[in-house]
């Protein structure tokens, strides 16, 4: 049981390049999330997926796209990276019930030059 | 919209008790969660309050008052390893989550 996994762990991009961040969970959760965290700040929701086949915008969706490939996988794509997208990106899956819990992946550290 | 407020920093000594407050303004409210994050690490779940009152999990307790839009995390018998950032987060009836700015706790020997 690996929980939530993310790839890559670290990436450097040049302005205008594109990339996809991968996320997978093996806990059979319906809901998955993408957050970004800037230094010294809280987490801001980019996109979420309540179930397979559905996605919705969070607080800061501009410049990003997502795909919920299946129940396990939720990817985040930067079509044309900008320095303002330099951040740490966390994927999470959510267990719903009496104890609302989000399980986070280890994060992807992205530097856009 | 939703906004949360937390103190930016708290300092305490080993063995002490510390309380981290969280106030929120939301258009919809389902529950209040608390997460811990060590430097360079991922957030990990600590506690959840869906109803008013106190929830206890070992050395950690969390409290919620819906009528006051207020909650707190109580950490007892502080240990050095508790030095970390602590975030409150509000979920609404949909799937949206909003995290607070975080409180950095420093535990001194």
């Amino acid at each position: 049981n690996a929980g939530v996994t993310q790839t890559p762990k670290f990436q450097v991009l040049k302005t205008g390049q594109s990339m996809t961040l991968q996320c997978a969970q093996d806990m059979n959760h319906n809901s998955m999330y993408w957050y970004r965290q800037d230094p010294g700040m809280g987490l801001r929701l980019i996109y979420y997926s309540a179930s397979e086949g559905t996605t919705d915008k969070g607080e800061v969706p501009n410049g990003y796209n997502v795909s919920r490939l299946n129940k396990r996988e939720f990817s985040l794509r930067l079509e044309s990276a900008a320095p303002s997208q330099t951040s740490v990106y966390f994927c999470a899956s959510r267990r719903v019930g009496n104890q609302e819990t989000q399980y986070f992946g280890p994060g992807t550290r992205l530097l856009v030059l | 919209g939703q906004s949360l407020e937390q103190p930016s920093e708290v300092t305490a000594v080993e063995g002490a008790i510390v309380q981290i407050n969280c106030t929120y303004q939301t258009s919809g409210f389902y529950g209040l969660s608390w997460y811990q994050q060590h430097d360079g690490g991922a957030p990990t779940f600590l506690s959840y309050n869906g109803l008013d009152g106190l929830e206890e999990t070992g050395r950690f307790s969390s409290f919620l008052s819906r009528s006051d839009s207020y909650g707190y995390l109580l950490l007892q018998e502080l240990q050095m390893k508790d030095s970390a950032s602590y975030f409150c987060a509000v979920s609404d009836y949909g799937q949206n989550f909003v995290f607070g700015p975080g409180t950095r706790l420093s535990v001194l020997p």
Side-chain angles (χ1 to χ4, degrees), chain A residues 31 33 35 37 40-43 45 48 50 90 94 98-102 104-106 109, chain B residues 30 33 35 37 40-45 47-48 87 91-92 94-97 99-101:
Chain A
S31 301
Y33 299 80
Y35 294 91
Q37 186 176 34
M41 305 281 286
L43 295 98
L45 183 62
Y48 63 92
F90 289 102
R94 175 187 177 199
N98 292 335
Q99 277 278 38
E100 287 258 344
T101 307
Q102 288 192 63
F104 285 83
R109 282 154 179 77
Chain B
Y30 190 74
S33 306
Y35 288 81
Q37 186 179 32
T44 57
F45 173 79
S47 189
Y48 172 78
F87 296 90
S91 54
D92 62 21
Q95 296 280 332
N96 195 24
F97 276 83
F99 279 76

Side-chain angles (χ1 to χ4, degrees), chain A residues 21-51:
Chain A
L21 284 66
Q22 306 286 354
C23 174
Q25 53 95 7
D26 61 3
M27 295 173 283
N28 202 36
H29 292 160
N30 284 320
S31 301
M32 297 185 72
Y33 299 80
W34 276 106
Y35 294 91
R36 62 176 287 174
Q37 186 176 34
D38 299 325
M41 305 281 286
L43 295 98
R44 291 185 293 169
L45 183 62
I46 305 171
Y47 271 93
Y48 63 92
S49 171
S51 61

Side-chain angles (χ1 to χ4, degrees), chain A:
Chain A
N1 190 339
V4 180
T5 58
Q6 292 183 236
T7 56
K9 286 185 170 52
F10 182 74
Q11 184 74 46
V12 179
L13 291 178
K14 294 181 179 178
T15 296
Q17 287 184 319
S18 62
M19 78 163 296
T20 300
L21 284 66
Q22 306 286 354
C23 174
Q25 53 95 7
D26 61 3
M27 295 173 283
N28 202 36
H29 292 160
N30 284 320
S31 301
M32 297 185 72
Y33 299 80
W34 276 106
Y35 294 91
R36 62 176 287 174
Q37 186 176 34
D38 299 325
M41 305 281 286
L43 295 98
R44 291 185 293 169
L45 183 62
I46 305 171
Y47 271 93
Y48 63 92
S49 171
S51 61
E52 185 179 350
T54 68
T55 60
D56 283 288
K57 295 178 180 178
E59 179 187 355
V60 288
N62 291 343
Y64 306 94
N65 285 301
V66 291
S67 295
R68 183 74 182 268
L69 304 171
N70 47 55
K71 192 170 186 178
R72 289 187 66 248
E73 298 172 288
F74 189 36
S75 63
L76 178 72
R77 182 160 178 85
L78 287 70
E79 292 291 350
S80 178
S84 61
Q85 294 178 304
T86 293
S87 191
V88 180
Y89 291 84
F90 289 102
C91 176
S93 69
R94 175 187 177 199
R95 182 184 74 184
V96 180
N98 292 335
Q99 277 278 38
E100 287 258 344
T101 307
Q102 288 192 63
Y103 298 88
F104 285 83
T108 294
R109 282 154 179 77
L110 176 66
L111 175 62
V112 182
L113 301 175

Side-chain angles (χ1 to χ4, degrees), chain B residues 8 16 18-19 25 34 36-37 48 52 67 69 75-76 78 86 89 107:
Chain B
S8 58
V18 72
Q19 180 174 312
Q25 289 184 328
W34 289 92
Q36 178 192 61
Q37 186 179 32
Y48 172 78
D52 284 0
S67 60
S69 298
L75 296 85
Q76 303 182 73
L78 281 175
Y86 293 83
V107 180

